[in-house]
Amino acid sequence: MKIFKFGGASVRDAENVRNVCRVLRITGYQNCLVIASAMGKTTNALEVVVHNYFQNKPQLTASIDVVKNYHLAIVEELFPNKSHQIYTRFYSIFEDINSFLSVNKSPNYNFVYDQIVSFGEIISTTILHFYLEECGIHNTWQDVRTLVKTDNTNRDANVDWDLTTQNIQREIQSDRLYITQGFIGSDNNGFSTTLGREGSDYSAAIFAYALNAESVTIWKDVLGVLNADPRHFSETTLLEHISYQEAIELAFYGASVIHPKTLQPLRQKEIPLYVKSFLHPELSGTEVYKGATLNPVVPCYIVKKDQLLISFSSKDFSFIMEQNISDIFKLFYEYNIKVNVIQNSAISFSVCAEDKFNRFEELRKILSDKFRISFNENVSLYTIRHFDDESAQKVLNQKTLLLKQVNRETLQIVTKE
């Protein structure tokens, strides 16, 4: 079978739902399993619902209506006949949301998050299922929660691979088109769980692994994997072929390519991954497979903005030893500060880090008893894979260099604009 994954942008409105039908007609949909994300920014909107449930009850109904009205407008455009059976199913989903919120007794935010946010994928795939039927593309809607089984770690659940593989192989037949959900699964008690960052791509890899799929295609709003983020670089190049290893390296340094946890099951069974444009499905896009050489061979740029450059030195000018570094990293972990670059000398130790949860000031007060601490806020971390002098100068142009680190394939520099 072939696994197709359509992200939120590819199903964000009625026009794009119609385009999914077009893509399937162009590429063929026999022996295919389609995984879809929530539509557009639905996950963000459902996060507001969860927040209001705990923190702002007077706005709870209004925030649910935002989600409902957004999807209802899409349904009404795709299905002008109000007697169509999708309307019954659509309203029953929102009855399920309200029912859960009215009877839930759990004070666990992450548990409630998973139960509510998972409805985004249920809604999008329901709409997609019925619309494809209208187009004459017969398909089977499958609740992924009956197949992908996980532990009860909310918001970043761990997959039970043996049970999940058994379920998928038992229920999915290779001569049909299936529509199912990305990002979600369920625990042993039947409660919804979510798979964390890039969960829908990961779902595609889970199904591919279980079914020994021919390939996985991730449909995006770009032509494929680019050598740089077009939001930060005016000139970009399409990478036609890259290896699993190269894709993992790019992801490690922060490229929004494919998450490593998506690549690992594919690499294990040597299943090729395609990243293609849902606007131009006839183009070849990028192929990721074992042993692929980077083609074309060009520098690949990754940028992380809003970083902290933090330097520690001993107050008595003694060496920074392994125990000191271990203590610092333990606190970084406890305060959810992600370290991206490390550099040390005899008497100082520097890191470039992300303070996503705004906890550095708390940490600084603790560490300042033992260390002299200097830091720069709002710096940028540039990583260049397969760098050369020209690419390095391109990044450094009109910036102040604060830190530089080089190995055989990769240059990392921290700059101040």
Side-chain angles (χ1 to χ4, degrees):
M1 295 187 75
K2 293 184 290 185
I3 312 297
F4 286 175
K5 180 262 176 172
F6 290 92
S10 62
V11 290
R12 67 178 178 266
D13 53 27
E15 180 182 354
N16 279 277
V17 172
R18 294 189 187 100
N19 185 63
V20 172
C21 180
R22 182 180 75 91
V23 170
L24 293 178
R25 290 193 190 284
I26 291 172
T27 60
Y29 51 84
Q30 297 301 318
N31 306 330
C32 186
L33 184 140
V34 170
I35 291 168
S37 301
M39 293 177 151
K41 300 297 183 181
T42 296
T43 299
N44 293 345
L46 287 168
E47 287 173 345
V48 174
V49 172
V50 178
H51 171 80
N52 288 342
Y53 175 75
F54 283 101
Q55 304 290 340
N56 191 6
K57 280 283 175 44
Q59 291 299 313
L60 178 59
T61 299
S63 58
I64 295 172
D65 285 344
V66 167
V67 179
K68 184 177 180 180
N69 292 336
Y70 166 67
H71 288 93
L72 183 58
I74 295 172
V75 170
E76 289 177 338
E77 185 172 341
L78 294 173
F79 306 92
N81 178 4
K82 296 298 178 63
S83 63
H84 194 286
Q85 59 182 316
I86 191 175
Y87 287 92
T88 301
R89 178 68 186 122
F90 177 81
Y91 288 116
S92 73
I93 293 172
F94 284 89
E95 288 172 8
D96 290 343
I97 294 173
N98 286 303
S99 175
F100 170 79
L101 293 174
S102 66
V103 303
N104 172 64
K105 297 294 190 292
S106 174
N108 184 332
Y109 185 96
N110 291 334
F111 169 77
V112 174
Y113 179 100
D114 278 2
Q115 309 320 301
I116 295 302
V117 168
S118 59
F119 278 105
E121 279 69 21
I122 299 298
I123 300 166
S124 68
T125 54
T126 298
I127 294 171
L128 184 58
H129 159 67
F130 280 111
Y131 182 72
L132 292 177
E133 288 285 337
E134 284 289 289
C135 295
I137 300 178
H138 180 63
N139 66 93
T140 300
W141 185 89
Q142 180 72 49
D143 189 336
V144 76
R145 294 170 295 186
T146 65
L147 303 180
V148 176
K149 305 304 289 187
T150 72
D151 64 8
N152 60 2
T153 304
N154 294 118
R155 301 185 71 174
D156 194 17
N158 299 295
V159 174
D160 182 333
W161 282 93
D162 289 340
L163 183 55
T164 295
T165 298
Q166 291 171 23
N167 291 341
I168 291 173
Q169 291 180 349
R170 183 185 64 247
E171 297 296 331
I172 302 301
Q173 301 174 29
S174 62
D175 58 349
R176 296 185 185 178
L177 169 64
Y178 289 86
I179 309 296
T180 194
Q181 305 80 39
F183 181 57
I184 62 178
S186 71
D187 63 21
N188 288 335
N189 295 313
F191 290 112
S192 298
T193 55
T194 59
L195 303 179
R197 180 186 167 195
E198 304 298 334
S200 289
D201 289 356
Y202 188 34
S203 298
I206 292 168
F207 276 93
Y209 179 93
L211 294 167
N212 295 305
E214 174 187 321
S215 63
V216 173
T217 303
I218 297 175
W219 296 97
K220 301 174 75 74
D221 55 358
V222 291
L223 294 177
V225 178
L226 304 176
N227 75 320
D229 188 334
R231 293 174 297 179
H232 301 298
F233 294 87
S234 57
E235 297 178 5
T236 61
T237 301
L238 175 69
L239 304 178
E240 297 176 7
H241 304 285
I242 58 175
S243 66
Y244 296 121
Q245 185 64 36
E246 183 65 32
I248 289 172
E249 289 278 4
L250 292 171
F252 173 80
Y253 289 114
S256 56
V257 189
I258 311 108
H259 197 277
K261 72 179 182 181
T262 298
L263 291 162
Q264 285 156 1
L266 300 180
R267 182 172 66 170
Q268 190 170 341
K269 291 202 173 181
E270 299 184 14
I271 299 169
L273 170 68
Y274 298 91
V275 181
K276 301 180 71 172
S277 167
F278 60 75
L279 298 174
H280 303 283
E282 70 283 356
L283 300 180
S284 57
T286 300
E287 183 179 5
V288 184
Y289 60 97
K290 181 182 178 181
T293 55
L294 183 67
N295 181 27
V297 180
V298 292
C300 297
Y301 302 87
I302 302 113
V303 58
K304 288 186 172 184
K305 301 283 188 178
D306 302 318
Q307 302 285 295
L308 275 170
L309 181 61
I310 314 164
S311 296
F312 304 88
S313 58
S314 299
K315 289 189 173 182
D316 60 1
F317 294 99
S318 62
F319 291 158
I320 297 282
M321 303 299 289
E322 287 82 358
Q323 184 61 52
N324 302 128
I325 295 173
S326 175
D327 292 342
I328 291 170
F329 267 87
K330 184 179 179 182
L331 286 167
F332 279 147
Y333 176 77
E334 291 175 2
Y335 281 79
N336 298 111
I337 294 176
K338 183 178 184 298
V339 175
N340 293 314
V341 176
I342 306 164
Q343 192 172 89
N344 67 299
S345 65
I347 59 172
S348 69
F349 175 71
S350 299
V351 298
C352 182
E354 294 176 31
D355 183 23
K356 188 175 180 180
F357 299 98
N358 298 313
R359 302 197 66 189
F360 171 64
E361 189 57 33
E362 298 174 63
L363 177 60
R364 188 176 70 84
K365 289 176 181 177
I366 295 171
L367 289 171
S368 60
D369 290 338
K370 191 173 182 179
F371 301 98
R372 287 190 178 90
I373 302 174
S374 58
F375 62 94
N376 299 85
E377 298 178 293
N378 301 317
V379 301
S380 298
L381 169 62
Y382 289 88
T383 302
I384 311 174
R385 290 276 295 164
H386 315 291
F387 69 96
D388 54 24
D389 291 341
E390 183 181 347
S391 61
Q393 192 55 45
K394 179 180 178 179
V395 166
L396 277 172
N397 187 36
Q398 297 183 333
K399 301 180 183 71
T400 302
L401 177 64
L402 301 177
L403 181 147
K404 180 178 180 180
Q405 194 166 100
V406 184
N407 65 28
R408 290 185 184 89
E409 293 283 345
T410 306
L411 167 67
Q412 291 188 285
I413 54 178
V414 178
T415 68
K416 190 75 175 176
E417 303 296 329

